[in-house]
Every structure is written in C-alpha cells, then in structure tokens.
Amino acid sequence: MNNNFRYLVAGVLIFLIILLQPIYLKWLGYESSPVSVDGVEAIPVRHEIIDSPVPSTADKLDGYGFENEAPESFITVVTPLYTATISSRSGGSLKSYTLTQLSSDNYKHRGGYDEYGMYDENMPVSLILSTKDYCLPCLAVYDDREDKYNFINAPFRLVGYPDNPDTVFLNSGESIDFKYVLNDIGGNVLVQKSLSFSADNFISEHGFTVNDDHLDYVNSLELVWAGGLRPSEKRADEDVQYGSGIISQAGEIEDVQTKGPDKNIDRIIYNGQTEWAAVRSKYFISALLAESPGSFATISAENMILGDREQTPLYRISVGFPLDVTGISSRLYLGPLDVDHISSTGTSLDETMNWGWTIIQPISKGILWVLKFMHNALHLNYGLVLLLFAFLIRLVTGPLTKKSYESTQKMQKIQPLTKKMQEKYKNDPQRLQRETMAMYKKHGVNPLGGCLPMLLQMPLLMALFIVFRSTIEFRGQPFILWITDLSKPDIVFSLPFNVPVYGDGVAILPLLMGVTLFLTMRM
C-alpha cells in the first residue's frame, strides 16, 4: 500500500512537471526571445481593401509630381508553389500571395484568415495583408520633419509587352521578367524597376534604377516592406508569440517584437551593413535580401484590426541605401519557414528559425534532417515517422536510463548503512565524509550515477521539444483517427470553463502518456 501511494504521488508529480515544462523552459530562456520594445499607445489600424485607383502620390513627395496617365493594372502569376497578383503600383507591389502547392489531393499549406478576419482551416495560406500603401515592396523616402514615409507607389508603366497579360502560368523550370518605369511630369524616367518570378522557389527578384538627378533633396532611399504578414494560425497568440521584425547586420541578428495590442514600436534605425530584413510569423516569413549590403535598416510596428482578433501586429521593415547607390538589387523570399527552401537563398535567413541555445542548435538541425529523411525516403506519414524516431531515441538513451536506474537501486540498498554512519559520526563531519566515500567505493556506488546519465540526455530531449514545437513539417499533417494536425494538441472536446495553466481543451495523448508513465514506474 505504501509503495502504491508513492507510485501515485510520483506519477502526479511527473505529470505536473510535463505540464509546466514549457513555462519552465521559457522562464529559463531556452528559446531566443525577441527583444520587446516599449512604444507609445497604439492607434489600431483599420483593415482596408483598396480595389479602386488611388490618388497620385504627387502630394507625398514634396516638389515632385508623377505622370499619372498610367492606370493601375494587375497581373496574376500562377506557379506550382504559389499564386501571386501584382499591381503596377510601386512597379510591382504584391496585392495577394497565396501558397497553392499541392500535397496528395489538397493544399500543402492550409489554414488562415480571409479579408474579413474569418478563419478557414481548409483555405490555402495567404500571406498578404491588403493595405493602402501598396508597398510590398517599394522604394520610399522617410521625412524626418513629418515623421512619416513618402512611398514611391504611383502606378508604373509596364514596358516591353504589347498587351498587359492578365494571367501568366509558369511550369517547373520557367520564369518570367517584367519591366516597369515611372516618369515625372516632364516625362523623364524617375525610377525603373525590373521584376521576375520563378516557378521553382519562393524567391522573386526586385531591382530598381533611380535617376538621382531628380531626387537632389533626398539623402537616402529605403527598400520597404510595409505590410507585415497575414496571420495563419487559429490561435492568435501563436502568431503573436512567434511574430517579429528581424534584421541581419554583419552576421548579427536583431529581433524586435511588440509587447501587446496597446503598444506600437516607433521607427528604430540600425546603422551598419545590412544583409537582409524580415518579418516572420510562426511558420512563414517575408524577407528582403539585399544583393549589395544596405547602410542601415529600420523596424517599426503597430497593431491592426483583423476580425475579432485582439492583436494582429503589422511589422514594417526596410533596408536603407545612400542616394549615390542608384541601383538597388534585392530578392524577396516570401514563403514557409522550411529549411530546404530557406537554405536556397544562400543567406543566414535560417537563423530566424528557432533552434534553441547555441549548444543545442546542431542537435536540433540534425533531428530535423533525420525526420525529413525518414519521411521522404521511406514515404511514411509523419505520425509513423515520429513513432519510429521515438523507438530509435529509446535505443540510444536506453543504456543511459538503465545505468541511472541501476545506480539508484544501489544507492537504495546502502541507504540503511548510510543512515547508521551518519548517526555514528554526526559529531565528526570529516570522518563521516571519509567513511561514506570508502563505503561507496566498497559497494561500487557512484552518488552521481543516478542523475548524470539523465543530464546527458537533456540536450537531446530539449532539442526534440524545440523541433516538434516550432517546425513547419508537422503543420497540418494528420496521423490517425482524431489526430488531424501533429503541430497542435489532439483536443477532442473543450470544457465549458478554463483550468489555470491547463486551459479548456481535453486531449487524449497526454492522458495516455500519463498512464504509460505510471505503468513504466511500476515496472
């Protein structure tokens, strides 16, 4: 009876440890927490859909007017990976961008919010938030006196095409190039932009040539992404928790995140050679990759209204260039945080993914590589991959666990002798220490033998936790029966009330794990 009670208490304690582990690890700071910046009280930004022509930007850039005869036009590019609609404003600003890659008989990346803020778990992921700026991306000038951006986002003229195509279909191995120009009132070319899309990756190329003779009052130009990312997760806190604005300068990563819905982030300037600037959500990212490093970067953010979500951060990032750099070449990566696609950029963009502490990162990357290899080579469902991987981990950690158990049993056997010795030499600590060590040596007991093998497993277990929690490979992947998404709890029903720490969802797998842990202790 006494042993059964101890088993029950141990089982309850283990369950509480597992339940509180995410909070404990976050408190320890195991994951690279973005820098939170206090701002001024936020004024929520209304979600605006601009379908009609917008007034000329002549009044935005002081002293300049644009030839506004070119009407706004749209071209839709359809590839096996995505479908993008571009506007002639800004010389090819993205109006919509939907991930339409197929897997089996459905979209590979599903779930997201429509234009009205309604979540649909079956719709393909859409990454663009329609805003009034049409700056996804665009060139801009920052006015320090007015404390605002002046976007060069009038409609450009598409040149090199006899007729504007409405839709372009690209097959694997194909790409398409567009060329736009923006004239001033006198007919001189102020900005020329080249734009290209590829069917085989999520990278588009955006190149600008600027006539600096007509911008003599400007000190610098910025390549700006002003529209954040459309949230993709049903639970708003997931996108908010993982979302941030990020820049890379000379190999150093700076990560900035809003604190709450009532806080804005004023424009922060980071001086230095800038390789890229990005906005990410939990599983997706938009990154401006400068071909020639910029001289500075900026990040700002505000909260916008989308449906009934309390917080939808709208991050704005830019890469700045001095005006004497009249040619600005960049690539835009807009797509999933998939290490295979991210690595194709040839940059340090994979550092935006959560791999854990520096010492754990190689283990996390190795685990993900093994999982992807098993999935692709063996053509197994990711649920079966996880079961097989768990078996392999058990084989690796089994000897260490056995060693820990054996050491614990030896310590239990000599416990009566230890108590007698402590009583006998309670007034002589030095003698007690010598006699205790001699007893350990005689019985072949190592006092650290019970915990040291378990500590050796901790980096592996923490890496597993990080990979399973934040990699896109498990998003939307079903397993069996009620398990329809391996990246989320297998909740079968929700309670009418909220339990502190636990929440309101009742899941089967944690209960099964608790039962198996109890049975393992009994064994």
Side-chain angles (χ1 to χ4, degrees), residues 137-260:
C138 76
L139 288 182
V141 177
Y142 190 76
D143 189 336
D144 293 304
R145 295 169 300 176
E146 298 290 334
D147 190 27
K148 68 175 184 178
Y149 274 104
N150 291 320
F151 299 106
I152 303 178
N153 61 355
F156 285 37
R157 287 189 300 107
L158 178 65
V159 297
Y161 288 87
D163 298 307
N164 289 357
D166 294 325
T167 305
V168 177
F169 294 90
L170 299 181
N171 298 315
S172 180
E174 296 180 344
S175 61
I176 189 169
D177 301 322
F178 299 105
K179 184 178 179 181
Y180 290 91
V181 296
L182 177 66
N183 299 96
D184 64 12
I185 291 178
N188 300 302
V189 175
L190 182 66
V191 182
Q192 177 177 297
K193 182 183 178 184
S194 60
L195 173 64
S196 66
F197 293 92
S198 172
D200 298 326
N201 54 57
F202 295 99
I203 302 172
S204 57
E205 297 185 6
H206 300 254
F208 296 86
T209 303
V210 181
N211 186 345
D212 60 338
D213 293 336
H214 294 267
L215 294 174
D216 52 3
Y217 78 103
V218 176
N219 294 322
S220 63
L221 286 172
E222 295 181 35
L223 178 60
V224 182
W225 178 272
L229 281 177
R230 186 189 295 267
S232 58
E233 306 309 304
K234 186 174 184 179
R235 289 183 52 186
D237 61 318
E238 291 190 50
D239 276 316
V240 172
Q241 177 186 351
Y242 288 90
S244 61
I246 315 168
I247 63 169
S248 173
Q249 293 184 324
E252 296 294 326
I253 306 296
E254 190 72 32
D255 199 336
V256 177
Q257 186 181 56
T258 59
K259 272 190 172 182

Side-chain angles (χ1 to χ4, degrees), residues 103-120:
S103 177
S104 299
D105 58 347
N106 210 331
Y107 294 111
K108 181 177 181 179
H109 303 293
R110 303 189 306 277
Y113 292 84
D114 62 18
E115 296 287 345
Y116 305 99
M118 300 297 293
Y119 187 83
D120 184 347

Side-chain angles (χ1 to χ4, degrees), residues 6-18 518 521:
R6 287 202 299 269
Y7 291 143
L8 181 61
V9 171
V12 171
L13 291 176
I14 290 174
F15 177 75
L16 289 175
I17 290 172
I18 294 172
F518 180 78
M521 288 187 297

Side-chain angles (χ1 to χ4, degrees), residues 233 280-284 335-337 469-472 475 487:
E233 306 309 304
R280 69 159 289 179
S281 57
K282 183 174 183 179
Y283 293 116
F284 304 95
L337 276 165
R469 187 184 185 193
S470 59
T471 54
I472 195 172
R475 185 183 187 274
S487 68

